[in-house]
């Protein structure tokens, strides 16, 4: 009998808060998916609405699988957006990182979200050690 997938496994994963430019530095572990939390300005929406491209000032990130986690929410270019998801394709040369979205939210209504994001990332990384390894 095949092992059933644990319906709560997604909830037990801790997303690493980081800047897109830090993604190439993430340690990789064979067979383990990395869950990331990134925030940035929405600069592109694919024609089918399945992908969003964010720019956080350090690089670009493509969020895939958007409609399945946003329940019909429509995003506008220029909005400040949060994406949590599994890293599928790390940054190679100048190619954007790709994340399969688990959560996408428009944070534009909270003006402090963008102002404090860099501080949140620095704070958590200093407290836990770089990427939680220290």
């Amino acid at each position: 009998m095949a092992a059933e997938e644990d319906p709560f496994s997604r909830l037990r994963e801790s997303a690493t808060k980081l800047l897109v430019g830090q993604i190439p530095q993430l340690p990789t572990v064979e067979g383990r998916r990395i869950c990331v939390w990134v925030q940035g300005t929405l600069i592109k929406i694919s024609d089918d609405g399945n992908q969003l491209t964010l720019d956080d000032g350090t690089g670009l990130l493509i969020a895939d699988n958007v409609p399945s986690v946003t329940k019909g929410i429509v995003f506008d270019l220029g909005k400040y957006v949060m994406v949590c998801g599994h890293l599928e394709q790390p940054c190679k040369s100048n190619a954007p990182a790709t994340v399969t979205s688990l959560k996408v939210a428009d944070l534009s209504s909270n003006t402090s979200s963008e102002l404090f994001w860099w501080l949140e990332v620095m704070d958590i990384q200093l407290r836990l050690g770089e990427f939680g390894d220290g």
Side-chain angles (χ1 to χ4, degrees):
M1 180 171 145
E4 292 183 35
E5 183 177 329
D6 178 0
F8 298 102
S9 63
R10 285 185 5 177
L11 300 176
R12 289 195 249 303
E13 296 178 29
S14 177
T16 302
K17 289 184 177 183
L18 47 72
L19 304 174
V20 174
Q22 294 176 307
I23 290 175
Q25 302 164 24
L26 283 172
T28 57
V29 177
E30 188 67 34
R32 180 173 172 255
R33 293 170 50 163
I34 298 172
C35 193
V36 298
W37 175 340
V38 177
Q39 294 178 190
T41 302
L42 182 55
I43 62 166
K44 183 179 177 184
I45 302 170
S46 66
D47 290 339
D48 62 4
N50 192 53
Q51 292 183 332
L52 305 178
T53 303
L54 277 64
D55 183 348
D56 76 346
T58 68
L60 302 180
L61 176 113
I62 296 173
D64 207 352
N65 192 43
V66 174
S68 68
V69 297
T70 56
K71 312 275 190 257
I73 296 171
V74 177
F75 293 93
D76 296 319
L77 294 177
K79 296 291 186 175
Y80 190 72
V81 176
M82 176 270 290
V83 173
C84 286
H86 290 118
L87 184 62
E88 298 299 334
Q89 177 183 333
C91 299
K92 300 289 186 201
S93 64
N94 292 331
T98 301
V99 168
T100 299
S101 305
L102 299 174
K103 180 172 176 76
V104 180
D106 180 356
L107 303 178
S108 299
S109 63
N110 183 349
T111 56
S112 63
S113 293
E114 187 171 1
L115 294 172
F116 289 115
W117 177 244
W118 287 55
L119 295 174
E120 283 184 51
V121 171
M122 289 183 349
D123 180 58
I124 196 72
Q125 290 178 7
L126 287 172
R127 289 175 188 264
L128 298 178
E130 188 174 38
F131 305 122
D133 292 337

